[in-house]
């Protein structure tokens, strides 16, 4: 195995693992904002318990997701130093903004929200969560700005063999940005909604005492996932239109493809400029999953009736469907990234010229070490999520009233 293949494999593992954390984080924080806003507006303590329960799962995923993000960032200096040298002046700008937004603003707001229970006024505490959500979306936006530039380099010029940013506005109006960002956000909402619906279905199957509570979160999760899958399909198919022509080789069959390949052959030498078949395979399976999840529109009215919920069978369908959005997220990311090959920056920097001059043994050791670390974080995350989700919403640790013997045992009104 050569260094390039090992570096690509390592980056695929790190980015895919981190992206799963991001999808859950972005989806759950949106649902949390809705739950806590409902609590502040209505004063219904049931919404407070739901906020505490889902907020606890969100915090677990966020903390371990940050750790996977830090591991991923090391890739640019360790394995892709030539990428950093060649396009760092352009690619690094949105990444720097994202770092300031995510690691400073978002983390600060979240820390104040976690420790602000029973210390801050409800309106202030809610504003902090809104701040967490808005900065999370801003973080995702700037990441997609950076990724979209790799998909379609714009607003730069080459000087002394290095790309320099000349038009920051061009980064924000990149034709590969808008639909891709909408696709990612709606996929995150789908993932968060399905997670909420599946955990709620688990508790309803077990017939836990908090039946009314989880019936409500089941409906909230299903409505979110059902609306989100429609957005996912819309933003996804929109990228086959004019936006798809920005990368003529990605899906094949474009009239501009032959002229573009001839130009690349003249500039970079002969080679295979066709993306690997893995990109189209991933795309095909992602579309199939998207159509399958579209059946939520048929399931939603059934699960709105208590008589159907008591049958349990539809609940099992929701529970068993939980892995589907996660698989679709991975397949979509693979399709987008592998479909860009053999380029790191499309038409500008070949992947083989972006890798660090590191020997295969060192790269293999790095791959093994990073994969083991990421695997440990991922397993720890899902074990903790499963454990705390199974405990139910009787008395989550997040937001527990201070002082000894102050378990939150207030009665919860039954939702209609």
């Amino acid at each position: 195995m050569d260094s390039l293949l090992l570096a690509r494999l390592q980056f695929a593992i790190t980015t895919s693992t981190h992206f799963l954390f991001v999808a859950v984080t972005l989806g759950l924080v949106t649902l949390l904002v809705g739950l806590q806003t409902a609590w502040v507006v209505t004063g219904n303590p049931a919404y407070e318990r739901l906020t505490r329960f889902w907020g606890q799962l969100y915090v677990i995923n966020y903390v371990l997701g940050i750790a996977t993000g830090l591991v991923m960032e090391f890739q640019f200096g360790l394995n892709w130093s030539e990428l950093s040298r060649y396009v760092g002046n352009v690619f690094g700008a949105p990444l720097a903004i994202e770092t300031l937004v995510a690691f400073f603003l978002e983390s600060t707001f979240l820390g104040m929200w976690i420790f602000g229970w029973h210390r801050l006024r409800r309106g202030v505490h809610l504003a902090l969560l809104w701040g967490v959500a808005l900065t999370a979306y801003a973080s995702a936006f700037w990441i997609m700005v950076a990724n979209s530039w790799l998909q379609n380099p714009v607003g730069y010029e080459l000087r002394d063999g290095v790309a320099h940013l000349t038009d920051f506005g061009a980064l924000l109006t990149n034709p590969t940005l808008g639909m891709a960002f909408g696709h990612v956000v709606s996929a995150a909402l789908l993932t968060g909604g399905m997670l909420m619906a599946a955990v709620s279905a688990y508790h309803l199957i077990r017939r836990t005492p908090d039946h009314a509570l989880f019936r409500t979160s089941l409906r909230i999760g299903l409505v979110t996932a059902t609306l989100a899958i429609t957005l996912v399909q819309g933003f996804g198919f929109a990228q086959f239109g004019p936006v798809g022509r920005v990368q003529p080789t990605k899906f094949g069959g474009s009239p501009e493809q032959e002229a573009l390949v001839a130009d690349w052959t003249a500039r970079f030498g002969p080679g295979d400029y066709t993306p690997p078949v893995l990109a189209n395979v991933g795309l095909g399976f992602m579309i199939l999953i998207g159509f399958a999840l579209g059946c939520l529109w048929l399931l939603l009215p059934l699960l709105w009736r208590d008589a159907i919920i008591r049958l349990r069978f539809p609940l099992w369908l929701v529970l068993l469907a939980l892995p589907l959005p996660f698989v679709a997220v991975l397949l979509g990311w693979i399709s987008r990234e592998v479909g860009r090959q053999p380029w790191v920056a499309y038409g500008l920097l070949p992947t083989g010229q972006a890798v660090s001059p590191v020997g295969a043994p060192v790269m293999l050791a790095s791959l093994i070490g990073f994969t083991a670390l990421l695997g440990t974080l991922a397993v720890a995350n899902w074990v903790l999520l499963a454990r705390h989700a199974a405990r139910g919403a009787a008395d989550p640790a997040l937001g527990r009233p201070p002082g000894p013997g102050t378990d939150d045992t207030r009665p919860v009104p039954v939702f209609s």
Side-chain angles (χ1 to χ4, degrees), residues 268-322:
F268 298 97
D272 184 8
Y273 294 103
T274 304
V277 69
L278 177 62
N280 288 330
V281 171
L283 178 65
F285 279 105
M286 180 188 65
I287 293 174
L288 288 176
I289 293 174
F291 282 131
L293 289 173
C295 294
L296 288 172
W297 281 105
L298 303 176
L299 192 62
L300 181 61
L302 296 177
L303 289 174
W304 212 266
R305 301 175 62 87
D306 285 339
I308 300 297
I309 290 178
R310 285 193 290 270
L311 294 177
R312 294 189 182 182
F313 176 71
L315 298 175
W316 277 109
L317 291 179
V318 173
L319 185 59
L320 294 175
L322 177 58

Side-chain angles (χ1 to χ4, degrees), residues 75-266:
Q75 304 296 298
F76 296 109
L78 290 175
N79 295 349
W80 304 99
S81 59
E82 291 302 309
L83 168 68
S84 301
R85 183 194 66 81
Y86 192 81
V87 302
N89 293 317
V90 183
F91 183 68
L95 286 184
I97 298 174
E98 187 275 335
T99 301
L100 291 173
V101 169
F103 291 108
F104 287 90
L105 279 178
E106 186 181 359
S107 300
T108 300
F109 287 145
L110 180 59
M112 294 175 67
W113 181 77
I114 293 172
F115 298 104
W117 289 85
H118 311 293
R119 294 179 176 86
L120 300 172
R121 293 182 178 180
R122 286 187 180 182
V124 175
H125 194 240
L126 175 62
L128 288 172
L129 185 60
W130 273 93
V132 173
L134 292 175
T135 49
Y137 276 87
S139 176
F141 173 77
W142 289 110
I143 285 293
M144 291 307 299
V145 169
N147 180 265
S148 295
W149 188 86
L150 295 179
Q151 302 287 339
N152 179 44
V154 293
Y156 74 97
E157 67 176 12
L158 292 176
R159 295 199 301 266
D160 300 324
V162 175
H164 293 270
L165 181 63
T166 58
D167 184 1
F168 188 79
L171 300 182
L172 306 182
T173 58
N174 196 327
T176 63
L177 173 60
M179 294 300 173
F181 178 65
H183 192 61
V184 167
V185 168
S186 54
L189 291 174
L190 171 63
T191 305
M194 283 300 298
L195 179 62
M196 178 174 285
V199 172
S200 302
Y202 168 78
H203 283 282
L204 291 172
I205 291 171
R206 294 179 59 199
R207 303 195 187 280
T208 57
D210 290 319
H211 174 85
L213 204 69
F214 285 110
R215 182 186 61 187
T216 299
S217 60
L218 171 72
R219 291 171 176 174
I220 293 173
L222 275 178
V223 169
T224 302
T226 303
L227 295 175
I229 187 57
T230 303
L231 294 174
V232 168
Q233 292 171 347
F235 284 118
F237 284 115
Q239 295 180 69
F240 288 97
V243 176
R245 298 194 189 102
V246 174
Q247 295 178 322
T249 59
K250 191 164 195 174
F251 304 117
S254 172
E256 298 92 352
Q257 181 173 349
E258 291 186 9
L260 192 59
V261 170
D263 177 63
W264 289 342
T265 302

Side-chain angles (χ1 to χ4, degrees), residues 342-392:
W343 306 97
V344 172
Y346 192 80
L348 179 64
L349 180 63
T351 305
Q353 297 180 15
V355 69
S356 299
V358 177
V362 176
M363 196 73 75
L364 179 60
S366 174
L367 170 63
I368 295 173
F370 276 72
T371 302
L373 177 57
L374 281 168
T376 301
L377 291 172
V379 171
N381 181 63
W382 289 108
V383 168
L384 290 172
L385 285 178
R387 181 178 300 172
H388 285 276
R391 288 178 181 174

Side-chain angles (χ1 to χ4, degrees), residues 385-408:
L385 285 178
R387 181 178 300 172
H388 285 276
R391 288 178 181 174
D395 183 27
L398 179 68
R400 183 177 295 163
T406 57
D407 289 344
D408 190 3

